[in-house]
Amino acid sequence: MISIVRARDYNDMSRKAANIISAQIILKPNCVLGLATGSTPIGAYQQLVEWYKKGDLDFSQVSSYNLDEYRGLSGDNPQSYRYFMNTNLFDHVNIDKANTHVPDGMAEDGEASCAAYDAAVAAAGYPDLQLLGIGNNGHIGFNEPDDHFSKGTHLVDLTESTIEANSRLFDSIDEVPRQAYSMGVQTIMFAKMILVIANGEKKAQAVHDMCFGPVAPSCPASILQLHPNTVLVADEEALSLCADELA
Ligand code: F6R
């Protein structure tokens, strides 16, 4: 079962999520965080930076593993997820960059690089807390709707829906990479706690299916119903199709 925390709006969702992440860091200063990119976590990252600057948080022993990276983008490309993480979080806190990990979008041998990423996440003991956004189509990481759940880190062909959703961050839709490396669903499920955040009505169907639909790879996030410790923090719009179930 997924525990649902209701937030009023994006800011409230972001603060609540940051509170949960910050509690994890306080309880276990050398914790492993699984991190996500995209629009949804930006507010939570800003809040964490603010608390760090106030002296309330210490990232010096934290390590992190990101979910995904576009294939063909290097870390200094402003559209890459490594760049996103640096500019939205890592550059502003005292995390040791050597302890931050993002799949290598430029890997010459993609398969070997994915296997090495899985081995590194496993050796780290898997995330204590995995932060997830959710795609309009129910994807987590870049695990798109499919006829099976994925396992380890792998190369993904992005769906038209995801390419279109992500095109808002590029000059034109043609510039959106068509492939990405993503942690697999199985690896995500190994995290000790999962924190999903969602806001806005575009996420309402995916949030409903994740929490209350059948557990099926047509909505990859639905597998989180089987995880022992998943919390969803979502705003009213994202929860708007769950009114009956939450009544
Ligand atoms: C990002 C990721 C994706 C996003 C999802 C939602 O690292 O893995 O699954 O979380 O596409 O994206 P936003 O937050 O931009 O709506």
Side-chain angles (χ1 to χ4, degrees):
M1 208 184 92
I2 299 173
S3 307
I4 299 177
V5 176
R6 306 171 78 136
R8 286 185 302 282
D9 51 24
Y10 180 79
N11 287 340
D12 191 31
M13 176 203 76
S14 300
R15 266 196 311 278
K16 285 183 160 73
N19 262 302
I20 295 169
I21 299 167
S22 132
Q24 173 66 71
I25 297 170
I26 291 166
L27 288 168
K28 188 176 175 192
N30 63 347
C31 64
V32 179
L33 297 179
L35 295 176
T37 60
S39 304
T40 319
I42 290 176
Y45 291 154
Q46 279 169 354
Q47 183 65 80
L48 290 174
V49 170
E50 204 179 305
W51 285 333
Y52 164 74
K53 287 189 172 152
K54 277 191 183 157
D56 288 344
L57 273 179
D58 176 12
F59 288 79
S60 61
Q61 298 178 65
V62 171
S63 57
S64 69
Y65 288 85
N66 261 78
L67 285 165
D68 38 24
E69 179 61 280
Y70 286 120
R71 182 180 186 211
L73 299 193
S74 66
D76 54 9
N77 185 317
Q79 309 286 8
S80 74
Y81 286 173
R82 160 55 76 180
Y83 190 93
F84 174 101
M85 288 311 303
N86 286 348
T87 50
N88 282 286
L89 182 64
F90 300 153
D91 285 346
H92 311 291
V93 297
N94 65 336
I95 198 164
D96 181 349
K97 284 246 183 82
N99 295 333
T100 68
H101 307 85
V102 180
D104 179 4
M106 299 300 284
E108 276 180 25
D109 183 342
E111 234 170 87
S113 169
C114 289
Y117 200 72
D118 284 337
V121 183
Y126 295 104
D128 293 291
L129 187 154
Q130 173 68 59
L131 178 65
L132 293 179
I134 179 170
N136 300 345
N137 61 3
H139 74 211
I140 48 175
F142 272 135
N143 296 286
E144 301 281 25
D146 206 336
D147 58 7
H148 64 282
F149 289 109
S150 64
K151 291 186 176 161
T153 306
H154 59 292
L155 184 63
V156 179
D157 292 323
L158 301 179
T159 62
E160 283 309 315
S161 136
T162 297
I163 292 166
E164 206 210 301
N166 290 3
S167 65
R168 70 190 192 280
L169 305 168
F170 290 78
D171 287 338
S172 84
I173 196 163
D174 297 334
E175 285 178 29
V176 186
R178 267 41 187 175
Q179 291 184 310
Y181 292 108
S182 177
M183 229 185 235
V185 169
Q186 186 183 51
T187 312
I188 292 171
M189 289 292 280
F190 283 143
K192 296 174 189 87
M193 176 181 181
I194 296 179
L195 170 60
V196 189
I197 51 178
N199 71 289
E201 60 175 350
K202 280 191 183 154
K203 301 293 171 70
Q205 189 66 51
V207 163
H208 175 272
D209 294 351
M210 165 175 76
C211 297
F212 302 110
V215 175
S218 52
C219 175
S222 64
I223 200 164
L224 300 174
Q225 292 176 37
L226 305 182
H227 188 276
N229 190 10
T230 291
V231 175
L232 164 71
V233 181
D235 75 352
E236 294 301 333
E237 289 183 1
L239 288 171
S240 57
L241 295 180
C242 301
D244 288 350
E245 288 88 350
L246 294 177

PDB file of all heavy atoms in Angstrom, residues 4 28 36 44 52 57-59 70 75 100 104-105 108 130 170 175 178 182-183 189 210-211 223 237:
ATOM      1  N   ILE A   4      -0.387   8.014   1.448  1.00  0.00           N
ATOM      2  CA  ILE A   4      -0.610   9.260   0.690  1.00  0.00           C
ATOM      3  C   ILE A   4      -0.607  10.461   1.625  1.00  0.00           C
ATOM      4  O   ILE A   4      -1.351  10.493   2.601  1.00  0.00           O
ATOM      5  CB  ILE A   4      -1.934   9.185  -0.100  1.00  0.00           C
ATOM      6  CG1 ILE A   4      -1.860   8.020  -1.097  1.00  0.00           C
ATOM      7  CG2 ILE A   4      -2.206  10.513  -0.817  1.00  0.00           C
ATOM      8  CD1 ILE A   4      -3.121   7.782  -1.883  1.00  0.00           C
ATOM      9  N   LYS A  28      20.492   9.449   9.337  1.00  0.00           N
ATOM     10  CA  LYS A  28      21.619   8.642   8.856  1.00  0.00           C
ATOM     11  C   LYS A  28      22.509   9.535   7.992  1.00  0.00           C
ATOM     12  O   LYS A  28      22.321   9.617   6.776  1.00  0.00           O
ATOM     13  CB  LYS A  28      21.089   7.441   8.060  1.00  0.00           C
ATOM     14  CG  LYS A  28      22.189   6.453   7.689  1.00  0.00           C
ATOM     15  CD  LYS A  28      21.608   5.231   6.991  1.00  0.00           C
ATOM     16  CE  LYS A  28      22.710   4.314   6.509  1.00  0.00           C
ATOM     17  NZ  LYS A  28      22.222   3.266   5.595  1.00  0.00           N
ATOM     18  N   ALA A  36      16.118  12.140  -8.399  1.00  0.00           N
ATOM     19  CA  ALA A  36      15.402  12.309  -9.663  1.00  0.00           C
ATOM     20  C   ALA A  36      15.616  13.719 -10.191  1.00  0.00           C
ATOM     21  O   ALA A  36      15.927  14.640  -9.433  1.00  0.00           O
ATOM     22  CB  ALA A  36      13.908  12.067  -9.435  1.00  0.00           C
ATOM     23  N   ALA A  44      11.797  21.058  -3.965  1.00  0.00           N
ATOM     24  CA  ALA A  44      12.330  20.322  -2.804  1.00  0.00           C
ATOM     25  C   ALA A  44      13.841  20.532  -2.715  1.00  0.00           C
ATOM     26  O   ALA A  44      14.393  20.737  -1.618  1.00  0.00           O
ATOM     27  CB  ALA A  44      11.993  18.839  -2.934  1.00  0.00           C
ATOM     28  N   TYR A  52      20.393  23.776   4.185  1.00  0.00           N
ATOM     29  CA  TYR A  52      21.855  23.582   4.275  1.00  0.00           C
ATOM     30  C   TYR A  52      22.526  24.918   4.592  1.00  0.00           C
ATOM     31  O   TYR A  52      23.385  25.008   5.476  1.00  0.00           O
ATOM     32  CB  TYR A  52      22.395  23.002   2.958  1.00  0.00           C
ATOM     33  CG  TYR A  52      23.889  23.154   2.865  1.00  0.00           C
ATOM     34  CD1 TYR A  52      24.727  22.344   3.630  1.00  0.00           C
ATOM     35  CD2 TYR A  52      24.464  24.152   2.078  1.00  0.00           C
ATOM     36  CE1 TYR A  52      26.106  22.518   3.610  1.00  0.00           C
ATOM     37  CE2 TYR A  52      25.826  24.329   2.038  1.00  0.00           C
ATOM     38  CZ  TYR A  52      26.644  23.506   2.803  1.00  0.00           C
ATOM     39  OH  TYR A  52      28.000  23.687   2.784  1.00  0.00           O
ATOM     40  N   LEU A  57      21.545  21.267   7.729  1.00  0.00           N
ATOM     41  CA  LEU A  57      21.766  19.991   7.027  1.00  0.00           C
ATOM     42  C   LEU A  57      23.232  19.854   6.639  1.00  0.00           C
ATOM     43  O   LEU A  57      23.872  20.835   6.260  1.00  0.00           O
ATOM     44  CB  LEU A  57      20.933  19.948   5.735  1.00  0.00           C
ATOM     45  CG  LEU A  57      19.494  19.453   5.832  1.00  0.00           C
ATOM     46  CD1 LEU A  57      18.847  19.524   4.450  1.00  0.00           C
ATOM     47  CD2 LEU A  57      19.440  18.020   6.357  1.00  0.00           C
ATOM     48  N   ASP A  58      23.716  18.624   6.708  1.00  0.00           N
ATOM     49  CA  ASP A  58      25.109  18.348   6.350  1.00  0.00           C
ATOM     50  C   ASP A  58      25.125  17.195   5.345  1.00  0.00           C
ATOM     51  O   ASP A  58      24.683  16.084   5.652  1.00  0.00           O
ATOM     52  CB  ASP A  58      25.879  17.975   7.628  1.00  0.00           C
ATOM     53  CG  ASP A  58      27.307  17.580   7.336  1.00  0.00           C
ATOM     54  OD1 ASP A  58      27.784  17.806   6.200  1.00  0.00           O
ATOM     55  OD2 ASP A  58      27.954  17.023   8.243  1.00  0.00           O
ATOM     56  N   PHE A  59      25.596  17.478   4.142  1.00  0.00           N
ATOM     57  CA  PHE A  59      25.624  16.461   3.080  1.00  0.00           C
ATOM     58  C   PHE A  59      27.010  15.808   2.945  1.00  0.00           C
ATOM     59  O   PHE A  59      27.235  15.042   2.005  1.00  0.00           O
ATOM     60  CB  PHE A  59      25.274  17.092   1.724  1.00  0.00           C
ATOM     61  CG  PHE A  59      23.831  17.478   1.565  1.00  0.00           C
ATOM     62  CD1 PHE A  59      23.330  18.646   2.128  1.00  0.00           C
ATOM     63  CD2 PHE A  59      22.954  16.675   0.838  1.00  0.00           C
ATOM     64  CE1 PHE A  59      22.005  19.023   1.968  1.00  0.00           C
ATOM     65  CE2 PHE A  59      21.626  17.029   0.669  1.00  0.00           C
ATOM     66  CZ  PHE A  59      21.141  18.202   1.239  1.00  0.00           C
ATOM     67  N   TYR A  70      20.059  11.129 -20.315  1.00  0.00           N
ATOM     68  CA  TYR A  70      19.864  11.013 -21.758  1.00  0.00           C
ATOM     69  C   TYR A  70      21.093  10.413 -22.419  1.00  0.00           C
ATOM     70  O   TYR A  70      22.232  10.770 -22.078  1.00  0.00           O
ATOM     71  CB  TYR A  70      19.650  12.396 -22.375  1.00  0.00           C
ATOM     72  CG  TYR A  70      18.302  13.000 -22.099  1.00  0.00           C
ATOM     73  CD1 TYR A  70      18.182  14.201 -21.423  1.00  0.00           C
ATOM     74  CD2 TYR A  70      17.138  12.381 -22.555  1.00  0.00           C
ATOM     75  CE1 TYR A  70      16.939  14.782 -21.193  1.00  0.00           C
ATOM     76  CE2 TYR A  70      15.885  12.955 -22.323  1.00  0.00           C
ATOM     77  CZ  TYR A  70      15.803  14.150 -21.650  1.00  0.00           C
ATOM     78  OH  TYR A  70      14.580  14.712 -21.427  1.00  0.00           O
ATOM     79  N   GLY A  75      27.943  15.501 -19.358  1.00  0.00           N
ATOM     80  CA  GLY A  75      27.572  16.185 -18.118  1.00  0.00           C
ATOM     81  C   GLY A  75      27.653  17.698 -18.185  1.00  0.00           C
ATOM     82  O   GLY A  75      27.047  18.389 -17.375  1.00  0.00           O
ATOM     83  N   THR A 100      28.605  11.414  -5.892  1.00  0.00           N
ATOM     84  CA  THR A 100      27.343  11.557  -6.630  1.00  0.00           C
ATOM     85  C   THR A 100      27.463  10.804  -7.955  1.00  0.00           C
ATOM     86  O   THR A 100      28.497  10.876  -8.621  1.00  0.00           O
ATOM     87  CB  THR A 100      27.013  13.038  -6.907  1.00  0.00           C
ATOM     88  OG1 THR A 100      27.974  13.570  -7.832  1.00  0.00           O
ATOM     89  CG2 THR A 100      27.032  13.863  -5.629  1.00  0.00           C
ATOM     90  N   ASP A 104      26.118   7.289 -17.201  1.00  0.00           N
ATOM     91  CA  ASP A 104      26.976   7.985 -18.162  1.00  0.00           C
ATOM     92  C   ASP A 104      26.314   8.015 -19.543  1.00  0.00           C
ATOM     93  O   ASP A 104      26.261   7.000 -20.235  1.00  0.00           O
ATOM     94  CB  ASP A 104      28.329   7.248 -18.217  1.00  0.00           C
ATOM     95  CG  ASP A 104      29.284   7.890 -19.198  1.00  0.00           C
ATOM     96  OD1 ASP A 104      28.943   8.944 -19.784  1.00  0.00           O
ATOM     97  OD2 ASP A 104      30.387   7.323 -19.389  1.00  0.00           O
ATOM     98  N   GLY A 105      25.824   9.191 -19.925  1.00  0.00           N
ATOM     99  CA  GLY A 105      25.139   9.329 -21.209  1.00  0.00           C
ATOM    100  C   GLY A 105      26.063   9.146 -22.401  1.00  0.00           C
ATOM    101  O   GLY A 105      25.606   8.920 -23.517  1.00  0.00           O
ATOM    102  N   GLU A 108      30.734   4.556 -24.128  1.00  0.00           N
ATOM    103  CA  GLU A 108      30.979   3.915 -25.426  1.00  0.00           C
ATOM    104  C   GLU A 108      30.377   2.528 -25.443  1.00  0.00           C
ATOM    105  O   GLU A 108      29.788   2.093 -26.426  1.00  0.00           O
ATOM    106  CB  GLU A 108      32.485   3.847 -25.698  1.00  0.00           C
ATOM    107  CG  GLU A 108      32.961   5.151 -26.287  1.00  0.00           C
ATOM    108  CD  GLU A 108      34.439   5.152 -26.574  1.00  0.00           C
ATOM    109  OE1 GLU A 108      35.024   4.067 -26.780  1.00  0.00           O
ATOM    110  OE2 GLU A 108      35.003   6.263 -26.584  1.00  0.00           O
ATOM    111  N   GLN A 130      14.663   6.675  -1.968  1.00  0.00           N
ATOM    112  CA  GLN A 130      14.632   6.919  -3.418  1.00  0.00           C
ATOM    113  C   GLN A 130      13.552   7.949  -3.716  1.00  0.00           C
ATOM    114  O   GLN A 130      12.374   7.721  -3.438  1.00  0.00           O
ATOM    115  CB  GLN A 130      14.317   5.618  -4.161  1.00  0.00           C
ATOM    116  CG  GLN A 130      14.092   5.788  -5.667  1.00  0.00           C
ATOM    117  CD  GLN A 130      15.370   6.179  -6.401  1.00  0.00           C
ATOM    118  OE1 GLN A 130      16.358   5.444  -6.342  1.00  0.00           O
ATOM    119  NE2 GLN A 130      15.363   7.317  -7.089  1.00  0.00           N
ATOM    120  N   PHE A 170      13.594  21.950 -24.090  1.00  0.00           N
ATOM    121  CA  PHE A 170      14.522  22.064 -25.226  1.00  0.00           C
ATOM    122  C   PHE A 170      14.017  23.154 -26.175  1.00  0.00           C
ATOM    123  O   PHE A 170      12.845  23.532 -26.118  1.00  0.00           O
ATOM    124  CB  PHE A 170      14.599  20.723 -25.974  1.00  0.00           C
ATOM    125  CG  PHE A 170      15.307  19.629 -25.212  1.00  0.00           C
ATOM    126  CD1 PHE A 170      14.649  18.943 -24.192  1.00  0.00           C
ATOM    127  CD2 PHE A 170      16.621  19.295 -25.490  1.00  0.00           C
ATOM    128  CE1 PHE A 170      15.301  17.935 -23.477  1.00  0.00           C
ATOM    129  CE2 PHE A 170      17.271  18.293 -24.781  1.00  0.00           C
ATOM    130  CZ  PHE A 170      16.614  17.612 -23.776  1.00  0.00           C
ATOM    131  N   GLU A 175      15.244  18.324 -30.798  1.00  0.00           N
ATOM    132  CA  GLU A 175      16.475  18.252 -30.006  1.00  0.00           C
ATOM    133  C   GLU A 175      16.385  17.295 -28.818  1.00  0.00           C
ATOM    134  O   GLU A 175      17.379  17.005 -28.176  1.00  0.00           O
ATOM    135  CB  GLU A 175      16.838  19.647 -29.474  1.00  0.00           C
ATOM    136  CG  GLU A 175      17.405  20.528 -30.554  1.00  0.00           C
ATOM    137  CD  GLU A 175      17.715  21.914 -30.031  1.00  0.00           C
ATOM    138  OE1 GLU A 175      18.018  22.069 -28.836  1.00  0.00           O
ATOM    139  OE2 GLU A 175      17.633  22.843 -30.846  1.00  0.00           O
ATOM    140  N   ARG A 178      16.239  10.730 -28.129  1.00  0.00           N
ATOM    141  CA  ARG A 178      15.221   9.674 -28.274  1.00  0.00           C
ATOM    142  C   ARG A 178      15.496   8.494 -27.365  1.00  0.00           C
ATOM    143  O   ARG A 178      14.676   7.578 -27.263  1.00  0.00           O
ATOM    144  CB  ARG A 178      15.191   9.193 -29.729  1.00  0.00           C
ATOM    145  CG  ARG A 178      14.180   9.879 -30.648  1.00  0.00           C
ATOM    146  CD  ARG A 178      14.055  11.362 -30.478  1.00  0.00           C
ATOM    147  NE  ARG A 178      12.965  11.928 -31.280  1.00  0.00           N
ATOM    148  CZ  ARG A 178      12.579  13.184 -31.236  1.00  0.00           C
ATOM    149  NH1 ARG A 178      13.181  14.057 -30.430  1.00  0.00           N
ATOM    150  NH2 ARG A 178      11.579  13.618 -31.982  1.00  0.00           N
ATOM    151  N   SER A 182      18.345   4.265 -17.994  1.00  0.00           N
ATOM    152  CA  SER A 182      17.514   4.374 -16.787  1.00  0.00           C
ATOM    153  C   SER A 182      17.756   3.211 -15.852  1.00  0.00           C
ATOM    154  O   SER A 182      17.921   2.066 -16.293  1.00  0.00           O
ATOM    155  CB  SER A 182      16.029   4.384 -17.181  1.00  0.00           C
ATOM    156  OG  SER A 182      15.221   4.421 -16.024  1.00  0.00           O
ATOM    157  N   MET A 183      17.770   3.513 -14.574  1.00  0.00           N
ATOM    158  CA  MET A 183      17.734   2.470 -13.571  1.00  0.00           C
ATOM    159  C   MET A 183      16.487   1.632 -13.832  1.00  0.00           C
ATOM    160  O   MET A 183      15.451   2.180 -14.248  1.00  0.00           O
ATOM    161  CB  MET A 183      17.592   3.128 -12.194  1.00  0.00           C
ATOM    162  CG  MET A 183      18.547   2.672 -11.144  1.00  0.00           C
ATOM    163  SD  MET A 183      18.073   3.468  -9.595  1.00  0.00           S
ATOM    164  CE  MET A 183      19.594   4.244  -9.183  1.00  0.00           C
ATOM    165  N   MET A 189      12.899  -0.799  -6.770  1.00  0.00           N
ATOM    166  CA  MET A 189      12.157  -1.500  -5.700  1.00  0.00           C
ATOM    167  C   MET A 189      13.060  -1.928  -4.543  1.00  0.00           C
ATOM    168  O   MET A 189      12.575  -2.251  -3.462  1.00  0.00           O
ATOM    169  CB  MET A 189      11.436  -2.717  -6.286  1.00  0.00           C
ATOM    170  CG  MET A 189      10.275  -2.372  -7.174  1.00  0.00           C
ATOM    171  SD  MET A 189       8.884  -1.640  -6.267  1.00  0.00           S
ATOM    172  CE  MET A 189       8.114  -3.115  -5.584  1.00  0.00           C
ATOM    173  N   MET A 210      -1.285   4.558 -10.333  1.00  0.00           N
ATOM    174  CA  MET A 210      -0.192   4.109  -9.473  1.00  0.00           C
ATOM    175  C   MET A 210      -0.737   3.598  -8.139  1.00  0.00           C
ATOM    176  O   MET A 210      -0.320   2.542  -7.656  1.00  0.00           O
ATOM    177  CB  MET A 210       0.777   5.272  -9.214  1.00  0.00           C
ATOM    178  CG  MET A 210       1.725   5.019  -8.058  1.00  0.00           C
ATOM    179  SD  MET A 210       2.950   6.325  -7.851  1.00  0.00           S
ATOM    180  CE  MET A 210       1.985   7.587  -7.124  1.00  0.00           C
ATOM    181  N   CYS A 211      -1.664   4.351  -7.558  1.00  0.00           N
ATOM    182  CA  CYS A 211      -2.141   4.015  -6.208  1.00  0.00           C
ATOM    183  C   CYS A 211      -3.261   2.989  -6.215  1.00  0.00           C
ATOM    184  O   CYS A 211      -3.331   2.149  -5.322  1.00  0.00           O
ATOM    185  CB  CYS A 211      -2.646   5.269  -5.502  1.00  0.00           C
ATOM    186  SG  CYS A 211      -1.392   6.496  -5.228  1.00  0.00           S
ATOM    187  N   ILE A 223       3.713  -0.720  -9.615  1.00  0.00           N
ATOM    188  CA  ILE A 223       4.443  -1.746  -8.854  1.00  0.00           C
ATOM    189  C   ILE A 223       4.784  -1.251  -7.447  1.00  0.00           C
ATOM    190  O   ILE A 223       5.023  -2.045  -6.532  1.00  0.00           O
ATOM    191  CB  ILE A 223       5.712  -2.222  -9.603  1.00  0.00           C
ATOM    192  CG1 ILE A 223       6.153  -3.580  -9.044  1.00  0.00           C
ATOM    193  CG2 ILE A 223       6.834  -1.198  -9.508  1.00  0.00           C
ATOM    194  CD1 ILE A 223       7.134  -4.325  -9.905  1.00  0.00           C
ATOM    195  N   GLU A 237      -4.421  18.824  -7.155  1.00  0.00           N
ATOM    196  CA  GLU A 237      -4.700  18.559  -8.575  1.00  0.00           C
ATOM    197  C   GLU A 237      -4.240  17.156  -8.967  1.00  0.00           C
ATOM    198  O   GLU A 237      -4.937  16.443  -9.682  1.00  0.00           O
ATOM    199  CB  GLU A 237      -3.996  19.599  -9.450  1.00  0.00           C
ATOM    200  CG  GLU A 237      -4.633  20.967  -9.351  1.00  0.00           C
ATOM    201  CD  GLU A 237      -3.971  21.980 -10.268  1.00  0.00           C
ATOM    202  OE1 GLU A 237      -3.028  21.610 -11.007  1.00  0.00           O
ATOM    203  OE2 GLU A 237      -4.396  23.141 -10.240  1.00  0.00           O
TER     204      GLU A 237
END
